[in-house]
Amino acid sequence: MKKKFRLYLSLILAALTTPLYAQEYTAKDRGIYIKKWNLMNAGDSLYISFRLLSDKMDIPSNRSLRLVPMLVKGDNVHEMKPVIVAGRRQYIASQRRKDYGMLVHSHKDSVKIDYRTAVPYRKWMNSADMLLSFDECGCGGDPYSHDNMLLKKIRLEVPPFRFSPVMAFVVPEVEAVKHREESGRAFLDFPVNQTVIYPEYRNNVTELNKIKATIDVVKNDTNTVITSISIHGYASPEGSYANNARLAKGRAEALKKYVCTQYGFADTLFTVKSTPEDWGGLREFVSSSSIDLRDKVLEIIDSKYPEDEKNRMIERMDNRKTYMYLLNNVYPSLRHSDYTVNYTVRPFNVEEAARVLRVRPQLLSLNEMYMVANLYEAGSKEFNEVFDIAVRMYPDDETANLNAANIHLSEGDWQRAERYLLKAGNSPQATLARGVYAMLKGDYTKAKELFMMASMEGIREAEMNLEQLEQKLEYDKYNK
């Protein structure tokens, strides 16, 4: 009995609810066999059973061997019910004393022990070590003071923690009157110094058809009513400013007259404006170009000189090289007519809105889109698609951006949610969403702070996410 036991076991652990059994193992130096290992986690208890056999336990009649299985992880220790293997006299004495534990009589050096116990389950046990302490003198006391042998490194197969964000979607405000607009830009060709539109002149057929197509989309839709049409004419900077003012105004008026003739609209439906010379358009082109003397041209454009003087200054540069380039390649695009068709849209019930969403989503309010989304199961492909459409139609709206961020956060995709959160505003619901964003990125300190802020603002979903955060921290503590 003086030599230390050495026990070589290999445990086959179960899934959380289905026990598996190991094959027979032995510690050859003591003739110890372990059979029928069963380790099962079921709710609040961890059930452990095995059969220990030996035909070489030389236990004298007046001696006993105390075996103590233990679960150990760090400072966490749980001693299980001991097994007392006793010789004949000690067996009788122990029966009289009613010693705590499982009493086994050693018959001619042979032992058979069917060990079963249940211990209160603690999460640290998922990755604990199972040790067996041998008290050969029967002294009791701390099992660590005796020989301890590793039986098994327990690794219960715990499913990975999955954070399931709980989002707070915002119901958009009802849009009392739905004002919408369709706009475009036409590059009509006019004979030099003229303000009369010739429909067949150069590329005018194409440009006029663009305008008519924009108007037809609204006019032919029974759900919409045109409220006004605005036309803004522009001329390019070459020539005198006074003449360009005449051309810009006259050509804008000519376009109004053409549209009135085509559709029979009242003159009062129109507003007409003009800009004699489109220096803003010229500046936009030059600033993004790599032309020679780019900075000098920008300096002239930004100066306070009269427009005619600016034009002459550019013309006199580098022997007219820059001027001729602009005249031939840029100025034609500065002669344009911008038009906007303003209209209102009737309200839709949810069934109508669902149909309109597929063909002309711009006719729907955010509130109507929200109603359509709720026709589908939250988190479904159709549900998420509605909010994606909403943010495309209303790219700068805080509610649209927040709800779009929510759908991607619900899917665990914080990268896609990131750009929407930048425009999501500072509502308590947005604070919650940013907490989920931090949680998904692994910044648990920031997530907790934001969840608590949202909770104080009355967002009940924040409490649900806080609870999950605590579960995640506990999971990490015991499963690293």
Side-chain angles (χ1 to χ4, degrees):
M1 298 297 293
K2 296 181 180 179
K3 152 171 120 168
K4 292 185 179 180
F5 291 94
R6 300 193 58 84
L7 180 63
Y8 298 98
L9 303 177
S10 176
L11 304 180
I12 303 298
L13 297 182
L16 292 181
T17 57
T18 305
L20 299 176
Y21 297 97
Q23 62 185 18
E24 180 178 324
Y25 293 93
T26 179
K28 295 179 180 178
D29 57 343
R30 297 304 300 266
I32 294 177
Y33 299 84
I34 301 296
K35 291 184 175 181
K36 296 186 178 180
W37 267 102
N38 181 357
L39 180 66
M40 183 172 68
N41 177 8
D44 296 331
S45 298
L46 187 66
Y47 295 90
I48 301 169
S49 66
F50 57 86
R51 173 172 291 178
L52 185 148
L53 301 169
S54 177
D55 56 7
K56 292 184 180 180
M57 281 197 179
D58 183 15
I59 309 293
S61 178
N62 61 344
R63 299 293 297 274
S64 65
L65 171 65
R66 191 169 184 265
L67 306 176
V68 184
M70 298 183 296
L71 295 175
V72 180
K73 182 179 181 182
D75 295 332
N76 296 300
V77 178
H78 187 91
E79 296 179 29
M80 292 182 282
K81 178 177 63 175
V83 176
I84 301 169
V85 182
R88 185 176 63 83
R89 292 179 183 176
Q90 278 294 322
Y91 182 79
I92 296 171
S94 296
Q95 281 185 317
R96 292 171 180 171
R97 291 196 302 267
K98 297 182 179 180
D99 288 346
Y100 167 73
M102 183 177 180
L103 183 61
V104 178
H105 187 195
S106 174
H107 295 281
K108 296 182 179 180
D109 302 337
S110 67
V111 171
K112 175 183 176 181
I113 301 170
D114 284 319
Y115 186 89
R116 293 182 179 84
T117 191
V119 301
Y121 171 69
R122 299 292 182 267
K123 289 187 177 180
W124 62 263
M125 296 177 181
N126 293 342
S127 56
D129 291 339
M130 182 178 287
L131 305 180
L132 187 64
S133 172
F134 289 80
D135 178 1
E136 299 182 55
C137 66
C139 307
D142 183 2
Y144 271 138
S145 65
H146 307 294
D147 288 338
N148 293 304
M149 300 173 192
L150 176 66
L151 296 182
K152 179 64 179 178
K153 290 184 176 294
I154 294 175
R155 297 297 181 265
L156 290 178
E157 295 182 9
V158 180
F161 179 87
R162 297 192 183 280
F163 178 47
S164 300
V166 184
M167 310 309 303
F169 287 82
V170 175
V171 181
E173 294 182 4
V174 175
E175 199 174 347
V177 180
K178 294 188 289 182
H179 295 281
R180 300 289 185 271
E181 64 178 41
E182 301 286 341
S183 59
R185 172 170 291 184
F187 299 93
L188 296 171
D189 289 313
F190 293 85
V192 177
N193 277 329
Q194 292 192 30
T195 59
V196 177
I197 293 178
Y198 297 97
E200 305 299 326
Y201 186 67
R202 293 186 177 176
N203 200 42
N204 283 351
V205 170
T206 299
E207 296 302 309
L208 291 172
N209 283 340
K210 281 167 48 179
I211 299 171
K212 291 165 68 176
T214 302
I215 296 173
D216 288 344
V217 165
V218 182
K219 184 176 181 298
N220 297 334
D221 192 331
T222 57
N223 299 310
T224 63
V225 176
I226 296 176
T227 56
S228 66
I229 298 175
S230 62
I231 296 173
H232 195 146
Y234 293 81
S236 54
E238 82 277 12
S240 72
Y241 184 85
N243 189 51
N244 287 336
R246 177 185 69 84
L247 293 174
K249 181 179 179 180
R251 291 171 178 176
E253 290 287 348
L255 179 56
K256 182 194 80 170
K257 182 178 179 181
Y258 174 84
V259 174
C260 282
T261 300
Q262 293 294 309
Y263 292 95
F265 291 146
D267 187 77
T268 54
L269 191 67
F270 292 83
T271 58
V272 179
K273 296 180 180 179
S274 61
T275 296
E277 297 177 354
D278 189 4
W279 287 94
L282 178 61
R283 192 189 195 290
E284 183 178 351
F285 171 82
V286 173
S287 64
S288 61
S289 73
S290 57
I291 62 172
D292 294 339
L293 303 179
R294 169 183 171 277
D295 292 341
K296 181 62 177 176
V297 174
L298 289 174
E299 182 182 339
I300 294 171
I301 293 173
D302 294 338
S303 71
K304 297 185 180 301
Y305 290 109
E307 284 77 3
D308 286 344
E309 181 60 24
K310 290 181 182 181
N311 196 42
R312 284 192 291 269
M313 292 171 71
I314 295 174
E315 188 174 2
R316 289 195 295 263
M317 290 171 54
D318 61 359
N319 199 28
R320 302 184 82 232
K321 178 182 176 181
T322 297
Y323 176 77
M324 293 305 297
Y325 175 83
L326 296 175
L327 183 66
N328 295 323
N329 297 282
V330 183
Y331 283 10
S333 66
L334 304 180
R335 306 169 199 136
H336 54 91
S337 298
D338 295 350
Y339 52 92
T340 302
V341 180
N342 301 288
Y343 59 99
T344 58
V345 185
R346 73 172 180 87
F348 299 104
N349 61 40
V350 65
E351 290 79 14
E352 292 172 327
R355 292 193 296 269
V356 173
L357 182 72
R358 302 301 170 187
V359 290
R360 293 195 68 197
Q362 64 268 39
L363 300 185
L364 300 180
S365 68
L366 280 173
N367 183 270
E368 290 167 332
M369 292 185 184
Y370 187 89
M371 290 192 302
V372 172
N374 281 282
L375 290 174
Y376 310 109
E377 182 181 355
S380 67
K381 177 182 176 182
E382 295 81 5
F383 179 89
N384 293 349
E385 184 182 17
V386 175
F387 289 110
D388 272 335
I389 293 172
V391 79
R392 289 202 301 271
M393 293 297 102
Y394 300 88
D396 297 316
D397 185 90
E398 290 183 356
T399 299
N401 277 277
L402 173 58
N403 287 340
N406 283 347
I407 64 171
H408 295 302
L409 291 170
S410 297
E411 296 173 333
D413 191 347
W414 59 265
Q415 286 108 331
R416 290 189 66 185
E418 191 172 33
R419 63 189 178 100
Y420 297 121
L421 287 175
L422 295 174
K423 297 182 179 181
N426 297 301
S427 65
Q429 293 88 345
T431 300
L432 171 74
R434 293 187 176 101
V436 172
Y437 171 81
M439 175 79 176
L440 293 171
K441 286 189 68 178
D443 189 347
Y444 302 144
T445 301
K446 184 66 174 177
K448 185 174 183 179
E449 175 189 341
L450 292 169
F451 289 153
M452 293 181 69
M453 288 173 60
S455 178
M456 291 175 64
E457 293 286 342
I459 304 301
R460 63 182 182 84
E461 290 85 356
E463 293 292 334
M464 302 177 192
N465 288 310
L466 269 172
E467 184 177 346
Q468 289 195 66
L469 175 57
E470 294 300 327
Q471 292 171 357
K472 169 62 175 171
L473 294 174
E474 187 177 8
Y475 174 89
D476 288 348
K477 178 180 178 181
Y478 292 117
N479 294 283
K480 286 186 177 179

